[in-house]
Amino acid sequence: MPYGEENTSMPSSLPEFPFDRYIRYGELTALLTETAKAHPERCRLESIGKSYEGRDIWCVTVTNFATGSDREKPAFYADGNIHATEVSPTTACLYLLHKLLTEYESDPQITRALDTRAFYLIPRVNPDGAELFLSDTPRYLRSSTRPYPFDEEPVEGIKREDINGDGLSLQMRVPDENGAWKKHPQDSRIMIRREPTEDGGEYFRLLPEGRITNYDGVTFGVQRIKEGLDLNRNFPAHWRPEQEQPGAGPYPTSEPEARALVAFITDHLNICSAVTFHTFSGVHLRPYGTSPDDTFPAEDLWVYQKFGKVATELTGYPAVSVFHDFKYHPKEVITGVFDDWCYEHLGIFAWTTEIWSPHRQAGITEGFDKETKPGAFRFTTFSRDHDPDDDLKLVRWADEKLEGKGYYDWQKFDHPELGMVEIGGWNIFYAFRNPPPQFLQAEIAPFADWLLHMALCSPQLTIYAAEATPLGKEHYRVRLVVQNTGWLPTYGSKKALERKVVRPVIAEITLPDGATLITGKSREELSQLEGKANKAAGNNGYATDFTEDRAKIEWIINAPQGGTVTLSARHERAGQHSRTITLPSPSSTG
Ligand SMILES: [Zn+2]
């Protein structure tokens, strides 16, 4: 086959995507580069900024470029791995990328999605933190590797690290008559809480495995990690300073990773909905983080609820409000997070999906509040309180499914500061933080269909009619009719309207040389166009389906016959189109 004639759309030219292991930055970069090379007609790779340590933050744009650039289409956004140890989110983005590229043409939904929409995928927002987690001797940071708020080594407390040389970071149980923990009566490996009035038994303190710096013999805390930033507290909406919101950073978007996302998203007003992938808990979280549902514009809440219902059907994860159903402490909120910012400032329907639930894997489906919220397991509630039987279920599951790598039996260890202790228990970084590799693909695969669904729910501006009617010699009435064929209205959300981030549909006419406009302006602002999302379901005999999805504009022009007129319509969120028409001669119109 001569050079230049090879069929670049052959899936065989796509590199192999690893869905059964976690990849480091070099491999990720090579994979994305090869993928973009294999499918230049549907996939482009760009760096949207550099991390603190200078690594490129990669963004893959996926669309059928033959039907228009990404910016001319409504778009869906997904990212992952803003938190250092949360690497399955990278794979979730890669899974969608792979599916979009390999099932184009074979799956009509994906064909339509790439022909009419664009996808922006940022698989690894925080490459520096992920690189430490995935190294041969892992370090476990919350997110950025930048020291904050102080660039100094801690001088006291327990430092989480492997101290018995087994290469794992587990727990220590330390005999202590005032300890809050005891052995489970049915399985002495499992630690459960001591009863309120209980006395006279064998009790322990439960601590992370590690040495104690500058131990005074009686008191200690857990050592602060020098890299104290949380990039998902650094976004502008509801941002609060470090003293009120740990990890927030010195000012909103102070950190290059968060700043890169904010700059990218504000520069792509075509983004209608978004998911940021995190771990873990097995839940889809939506705004608000700081206020109750009745503060939402009602239509936006209904859209969120409909997206959430589809999410639960497809993935099995509940879809909940952070404020109502995912607070670790009922009186404390978390601020400066990505999804609140996307929705609050830009009216983007953004979600935070927490991948993976070992608890549901173990058959734990009820929370400790099961009387008031039956069937609603949530990690926030579990972490506050739960039945000791649930601990049994979890460890049994680890014993059966995790090949001995999830829960370790306790081994005696002569601790330099604490004396004889035992090291064992959960390997949380294997069992909890991400799906263990053998579970990875099954866990992330269902998300792709949900993301695709939301992408296809976007508004979609189309040209319904573009025509010129002769009005005698060299005069024409030019008419452009546009409509929104999408489910969401052109403005996306009521919040976007409230924030004035989206203009109405803009129509433009470009005249041939020698032509003049008699009436109308060359650029006109039309209205917003409704979609189908906000139509009521009641078919009660009243006509409600009038043409709010359609708008028309007419110009009278003076132009030579046979000239061409270009009509275009665009909307930041709903896409853009243009049509060129030839001015007919008066006789040709019968
Ligand atoms: Zn996270």
Side-chain angles (χ1 to χ4, degrees), residues 427-454:
N427 181 359
I428 55 167
F429 291 102
Y430 181 79
F432 280 64
R433 186 51 64 185
N434 292 285
Q438 66 272 30
F439 293 88
L440 178 58
Q441 184 166 348
E443 193 69 18
I444 59 171
F447 302 130
D449 290 331
W450 178 47
L451 273 41
L452 194 60
H453 171 81
M454 286 193 285

Side-chain angles (χ1 to χ4, degrees), residues 158 182 298 308 327 434 463 481 501 555:
I158 297 186
K182 63 177 182 178
K327 288 201 294 263
N434 292 285
I463 291 180
V481 185
V501 288
W555 295 271

Side-chain angles (χ1 to χ4, degrees), residues 82-83 86 142 232 277-280 354 433:
I82 196 169
H83 287 142
E86 301 173 5
R142 177 60 173 165
N232 199 30
F277 283 107
H278 286 245
T279 71
F280 64 97
E354 300 279 356
R433 186 51 64 185

Side-chain angles (χ1 to χ4, degrees), residues 32 35-37 39-48 57-65 68-78 93 96-98 100-101 113-114 117-123 264 267-268 270-271:
L32 297 177
T35 300
K37 228 183 267 175
H39 280 290
E41 77 290 3
R42 290 198 283 279
C43 170
R44 282 175 197 166
L45 179 65
E46 66 177 313
S47 168
I48 62 158
I57 301 167
W58 297 120
C59 174
V60 191
T61 299
V62 192
T63 189
N64 178 7
F65 289 103
S69 78
D70 55 290
R71 286 180 182 269
E72 295 169 19
K73 297 168 182 166
F76 181 85
Y77 168 101
C93 292
L96 177 64
L97 171 62
H98 184 263
L100 292 175
L101 293 177
L114 295 198
R117 269 81 172 174
F119 292 79
Y120 301 119
L121 308 175
I122 303 176
F264 181 84
D267 186 41
H268 290 77
N270 54 335
I271 295 170

Side-chain angles (χ1 to χ4, degrees), residues 12-223:
S12 58
S13 53
L14 200 63
E16 197 173 322
F17 276 53
F19 297 131
D20 56 355
R21 64 193 171 83
Y22 296 109
I23 59 175
R24 293 182 64 166
Y25 183 72
E27 190 176 353
L28 176 70
T29 300
L31 178 76
L32 297 177
T33 307
E34 289 302 307
T35 300
K37 228 183 267 175
H39 280 290
E41 77 290 3
R42 290 198 283 279
C43 170
R44 282 175 197 166
L45 179 65
E46 66 177 313
S47 168
I48 62 158
K50 301 248 188 217
S51 67
Y52 169 68
E53 293 181 20
R55 293 184 175 89
D56 283 305
I57 301 167
W58 297 120
C59 174
V60 191
T61 299
V62 192
T63 189
N64 178 7
F65 289 103
T67 59
S69 78
D70 55 290
R71 286 180 182 269
E72 295 169 19
K73 297 168 182 166
F76 181 85
Y77 168 101
D79 76 30
N81 201 190
I82 196 169
H83 287 142
T85 61
E86 301 173 5
V87 290
S88 50
T90 299
T91 323
C93 292
L94 294 177
Y95 191 89
L96 177 64
L97 171 62
H98 184 263
K99 190 178 173 82
L100 292 175
L101 293 177
T102 56
E103 294 178 26
Y104 182 80
E105 284 171 342
S106 67
D107 180 333
Q109 292 273 77
I110 291 178
T111 310
R112 183 156 73 96
L114 295 198
D115 286 353
T116 62
R117 269 81 172 174
F119 292 79
Y120 301 119
L121 308 175
I122 303 176
R124 184 156 289 172
V125 174
N126 174 16
D128 302 347
E131 206 60 3
L132 284 187
F133 174 63
L134 293 170
S135 78
D136 297 334
T137 49
R139 276 202 62 209
Y140 311 107
L141 304 182
R142 177 60 173 165
S143 51
S144 171
T145 59
R146 183 166 89 87
Y148 190 83
F150 313 113
D151 188 2
E152 58 192 23
E153 294 301 328
V155 294
E156 58 181 4
I158 297 186
K159 182 183 180 190
R160 179 186 283 282
E161 59 186 336
D162 171 30
I163 57 171
N164 62 353
D166 61 1
L168 302 167
S169 174
L170 304 176
Q171 282 97 58
M172 302 191 293
R173 62 181 185 191
V174 184
D176 188 322
E177 61 188 23
N178 202 35
W181 298 84
K182 63 177 182 178
K183 293 173 180 172
H184 195 295
Q186 287 164 263
D187 188 333
S188 64
R189 295 175 301 156
I190 299 172
M191 305 306 291
I192 58 172
R193 282 190 302 188
R194 180 175 176 174
E195 293 300 325
T197 58
E198 189 181 334
D199 201 13
E202 184 188 23
Y203 306 111
F204 301 87
R205 285 184 193 273
L206 203 51
L207 304 168
E209 177 180 349
R211 292 279 306 269
I212 307 178
T213 309
N214 291 327
Y215 184 42
D216 63 6
V218 279
T219 60
F220 53 85
V222 170
Q223 199 170 94

